[in-house]
Amino acid sequence: MRSAGLGAALLCVLIGTARAAEIPAAQRQSGSAFMSEATRAMQADDTSNPGMLSVLEGSALWNAPAGKAAKSCASCHGEATASMRGVAASYPAYDERTASPIDLAGRINACRQEHQGLEPFRRESAELLALTAFVGNQSRGLPILPPNDPRLAPHLALGKEIFDRRRGQLDLSCASCHNDNWSGRLGGSPITQAHPTGYPLYRLEWQALGSLQRRVRNCMVGVRAKPFEYGAQELIAVEIYLNQRAAGMNLETPAVRP
Amino acid sequence: MIVVFLAMFMGLGVAPACAQATIAFQVRGDTIPEPLVARAADASNGARLMADRHRSLCVLCHAGPFSEPHMQGNIAPNLKGLGSRLSAAQIRLRVANIKAINPDSLMPAYLAIADGIDIAEAWRGKTILDPGEVEDIVAYLATLKE
């Protein structure tokens, strides 16, 4: 009985991943390549890119003294243009203290707790998104450079497994759309290759800035699956895999998407 | 080959009084020869369901002579003229459970209960459409002649 059940489960996994072929490096394209001319122009011009408002807000938070010791991010890190250049390009990274991977938003919250003695910002709060966008913006134009850390390897593997595995009532995997059908349209929308080049980004549909985790959770809800919680190790594993998959592509933070 | 598919409907509440309806349909070759419900099919309801992006989801993947063209997907065959290519019995199996024909298909099985991972609470134990809805869609699609 048991082994028959397991056999059936394995068969399902094999079937579920059979078609997924990875996108050759030469064919990789950022989500912005699929957008209309108007949306691309909106992203390219800082005075019309709505995400820049959050970057400005983040800049103010960076310099604002907070907590008992009245320390700001700048008190420790100085000018972000120098100290934060390239940082976002190498997240998620391995966090020694928790012995687990941490994404950029998690890292910002860890500084807030440990060095400023403050409560962490809520995931997807305007403040956390603004600080993440501000730090991310310091890497705009730089290639994604995943950390070469063997301790991340099992998390990378988990992220890939989640990406390739069919889930939800609609029984689709991330790969079903983003590897196998990226050049097509779902309803009226281009599907795209799901490269995490622009996060946090301003999505016109959301009328707001949002994180990569929000986007991935949306796709999970779309296939009628139970999404992983914000900050969950599984979502960070997906982020790690998406970054690896997009290694070398340039960051656009804050991007605009339809 | 005759395969019998059993689909169990379990109401949301799972109260003991809540009946568990079981629908069985017979697959013969690449068809389901018999209608899925006793009442007459309603092709106009089928047309309405086809265009419904949230309930049937068909137009997310398929284009065809229904709803606004710019809101239709293109990752599945265009359904224009489908009634000239396939019989109602063939269409019925494809909508009810295309995975009986192609286990690898991108298309969800509309009358099978998904048994994959991480199905959201609200959809667990349920089929995507009910047999009457599938029958109405089949009746509509069969009218699409070139």
Side-chain angles (χ1 to χ4, degrees):
Chain A
M1 260 316 277
R2 249 204 119 104
S3 71
L6 186 65
L10 282 177
L11 185 67
C12 286
V13 172
L14 288 178
I15 287 169
T17 58
R19 275 173 45 114
E22 285 168 29
I23 300 168
Q27 281 181 34
R28 290 184 313 175
Q29 283 173 298
S30 169
S32 50
F34 297 79
M35 305 194 302
S36 70
E37 201 57 58
T39 314
R40 264 208 297 274
M42 182 189 276
Q43 171 174 316
D45 176 3
D46 279 354
T47 63
S48 69
N49 181 334
M52 285 309 289
L53 285 175
S54 300
V55 171
L56 280 179
E57 230 179 280
S59 161
L61 284 167
W62 178 266
N63 290 303
K68 273 219 196 72
K71 278 195 288 189
S72 68
C73 314
S75 312
C76 293
H77 297 287
E79 277 296 329
T81 43
S83 66
M84 292 295 129
R85 189 175 152 78
V87 168
S90 296
Y91 268 80
Y94 190 79
D95 181 39
E96 304 279 351
R97 275 147 310 180
T98 58
S100 60
I102 192 168
D103 65 357
L104 186 56
R107 176 69 252 181
I108 289 167
N109 262 340
C111 271
R112 197 170 148 79
Q113 287 173 278
E114 283 162 33
H115 303 304
Q116 294 179 301
L118 294 165
E119 286 293 302
F121 289 119
R122 200 176 41 76
R123 285 264 168 183
E124 293 310 288
S125 63
E127 293 92 340
L128 187 55
L129 286 169
L131 269 170
T132 313
F134 173 68
V135 173
N137 187 236
Q138 310 308 317
S139 297
R140 184 160 64 171
L142 297 180
I144 295 176
L145 188 67
N148 186 8
D149 186 331
R151 293 171 299 182
L152 290 173
H155 303 277
L156 175 65
L158 173 65
K160 177 169 166 49
E161 187 195 312
I162 292 171
F163 191 87
D164 287 342
R165 179 96 180 258
R166 288 182 179 238
R167 67 188 59 245
Q169 191 198 33
L170 304 187
D171 195 32
L172 294 169
S173 68
C174 314
S176 308
C177 287
H178 295 297
N179 280 353
D180 297 344
N181 285 291
W182 58 264
S183 60
R185 273 182 299 113
L186 186 74
S189 313
I191 289 174
T192 83
Q193 300 177 349
H195 292 305
T197 39
Y199 289 84
L201 57 70
Y202 190 92
R203 203 170 168 80
L204 299 170
E205 182 201 333
W206 296 336
Q207 303 256 307
L209 205 73
S211 69
L212 178 57
Q213 293 199 3
R214 178 173 179 185
R215 176 67 247 187
V216 170
R217 280 169 49 93
N218 274 194
C219 283
M220 289 182 164
V221 170
V223 301
R224 301 184 174 177
K226 185 177 185 308
F228 298 116
E229 295 300 330
Y230 278 113
Q233 284 293 307
E234 289 90 344
L235 270 186
I236 295 178
V238 171
E239 289 190 62
I240 291 171
Y241 176 62
L242 292 176
N243 269 297
Q244 183 64 56
R245 199 170 159 270
M249 297 179 76
N250 288 344
L251 283 178
E252 303 164 13
T253 308
V256 177
R257 293 288 180 270
Chain B
M1 182 181 67
I2 296 182
V3 188
V4 177
F5 281 89
L6 296 175
M8 308 270 287
F9 284 98
M10 331 226 296
L12 237 191
V14 205
C18 171
Q20 293 194 348
T22 301
I23 44 157
F25 52 81
Q26 278 200 344
V27 177
R28 188 167 296 137
D30 76 334
T31 72
I32 298 175
E34 299 298 329
L36 298 160
V37 286
R39 67 162 172 81
D42 176 355
S44 66
N45 188 46
R48 189 191 57 75
L49 277 166
M50 269 310 291
D52 184 335
R53 303 161 54 80
H54 301 290
R55 181 148 178 79
S56 78
L57 313 162
C58 311
V59 289
L60 294 185
C61 297
H62 291 275
F66 32 75
S67 77
E68 311 117 285
H70 71 284
M71 297 295 275
Q72 298 176 347
N74 63 0
I75 58 178
N78 191 307
L79 298 178
K80 180 165 173 267
L82 185 75
S84 313
R85 292 200 300 277
L86 298 178
S87 68
Q90 286 175 309
I91 298 173
R92 194 175 289 119
L93 177 57
R94 282 153 182 77
V95 183
N97 185 4
I98 199 159
K99 287 174 188 176
I101 302 170
N102 172 15
D104 244 0
S105 183
L106 186 70
M107 178 165 159
Y110 279 84
L111 279 192
I113 292 183
D115 57 358
I117 60 165
D118 292 351
I119 297 168
E121 196 83 57
W123 306 106
R124 231 171 275 163
K126 295 195 183 126
T127 57
I128 303 171
L129 293 176
D130 63 41
E133 290 173 317
V134 170
E135 203 52 47
D136 292 350
I137 288 176
V138 171
Y140 167 65
L141 291 179
T143 67
L144 300 180
K145 311 256 173 175
E146 220 111 39

